[in-house]
Amino acid sequence: DTAVSQTPKYLVTQMGNDKSIKCEQNLGHDTMYWYKQDSKKFLKIMFSYNNKELIINETVPNRFSPKSPDKAHLNLHINSLELGDSAVYFCASSPSGQGNTEAFFGQGTRLTVV
Amino acid sequence: SQKIEQNSEALNIQEGKTATLTCNYTNYSPAYLQWYRQDPGRGPVFLLLIRENEKEKRKERLKVTFDTTLKQSLFHITASQPADSATYLCALGLGGGKLIFGQGTELSVKP
């Protein structure tokens, strides 16, 4: 039983394309997140949603648009992909959005833009 | 400016020794600090959480300290084993569930 699952695990695409990454959690958590891990291994928060509502929106280009159809799902759509978007994207969830509980991470989606 | 830094990128120790990893931060006031383990090709896995009013937390061979005056957390693994080899990430817990991660320390435990 995978707690936080993302698809696809690998994504190779050309510059200018539009792509989506899907994320689902079966933990019953209220809060979900998207993080980006760059080549230097820095893990940076992009967005967080609590019960389908956007809570955190870091300085992310508006080509990135999260969508939460229900509290178990948080998808990430990226328009007009650029080379600099290449990274590993992690979805995560936590019971509360207060930072006082652990976050559960998915296995990551390695995005390569060529 | 706000910064979170972990000690040297790589730490090599002998099996059975204690590994000590450092996390320093500036211009943040976290209510919580968390430590995660990340293996290659995998997502981070939660290890320990410590609150600002706690000095020390233990879990089996793991121990974390949190000094809000020094703005530093230390993470110890006692009786280290090769299976402990991984990258360890500290994260500051801020409002709204936001976690700010350090760049990680890669630990290698040699038999």
Side-chain angles (χ1 to χ4, degrees):
Chain A
D1 260 359
T2 305
V4 181
S5 59
Q6 305 176 220
T7 53
K9 188 171 168 67
Y10 299 98
L11 186 53
V12 181
T13 187
Q14 290 190 325
M15 271 196 315
N17 283 351
D18 303 338
K19 289 293 178 187
S20 291
I21 307 171
K22 295 187 175 182
C23 179
E24 175 182 4
Q25 54 98 0
N26 63 5
L27 299 167
H29 289 166
D30 286 339
T31 309
M32 295 185 72
Y33 311 83
W34 277 109
Y35 284 84
K36 176 180 179 180
Q37 189 168 45
D38 61 24
S39 57
K40 293 185 178 179
K41 306 297 184 189
F42 268 105
L43 198 59
K44 290 184 183 174
I45 190 165
M46 300 172 70
F47 303 102
S48 82
Y49 271 72
N50 186 277
N51 271 322
K52 302 192 297 177
E53 285 192 33
L54 181 65
I55 302 298
I56 295 173
N57 184 350
E58 289 296 289
T59 311
V60 176
N62 57 16
R63 297 182 295 104
F64 290 78
S65 51
K67 295 266 191 312
S68 182
D70 55 63
K71 76 172 194 175
H73 294 85
L74 180 61
N75 304 322
L76 184 65
H77 188 76
I78 316 170
N79 289 328
S80 303
L81 278 155
E82 300 177 357
L83 293 176
D85 297 332
S86 295
V88 182
Y89 292 85
F90 286 99
C91 176
S93 73
S94 66
S96 83
Q98 299 304 315
N100 58 346
T101 55
E102 63 185 280
F104 292 77
F105 285 79
Q107 82 278 20
T109 296
R110 182 173 292 278
L111 171 66
T112 304
V113 182
V114 297
Chain B
S1 62
Q2 294 175 316
K3 230 186 319 184
I4 174 171
E5 288 181 321
Q6 297 187 235
N7 63 328
S8 60
E9 284 189 14
L11 184 62
N12 298 305
I13 64 167
Q14 207 65 33
E15 184 176 6
K17 301 291 185 187
T18 296
T20 298
L21 285 65
T22 305
C23 178
N24 294 294
Y25 59 92
T26 54
N27 294 320
Y28 283 112
S29 297
Y32 314 95
L33 192 143
Q34 303 186 23
W35 283 88
Y36 288 79
R37 168 184 173 141
Q38 187 173 23
D39 291 283
R42 310 290 294 271
V45 175
F46 172 81
L47 296 174
L48 280 168
L49 178 151
I50 187 165
R51 291 172 168 72
E52 61 178 338
N53 60 353
E54 297 176 314
K55 295 291 183 191
E56 184 180 295
K57 208 76 170 286
R58 290 173 187 262
K59 179 181 173 184
E60 297 172 354
R61 294 183 297 112
L62 308 180
K63 183 177 91 172
V64 63
T65 62
F66 191 13
D67 189 326
T68 55
T69 302
L70 289 179
K71 296 187 181 297
Q72 181 182 77
S73 175
L74 298 178
F75 179 78
H76 306 273
I77 305 175
T78 57
S80 59
Q81 304 164 359
D84 295 327
S85 298
T87 296
Y88 291 85
L89 304 165
C90 71
L92 305 181
L94 305 178
K98 187 172 173 179
L99 288 176
I100 304 295
F101 282 87
Q103 80 277 24
T105 296
E106 190 177 335
L107 174 67
S108 179
V109 181
K110 305 292 184 191

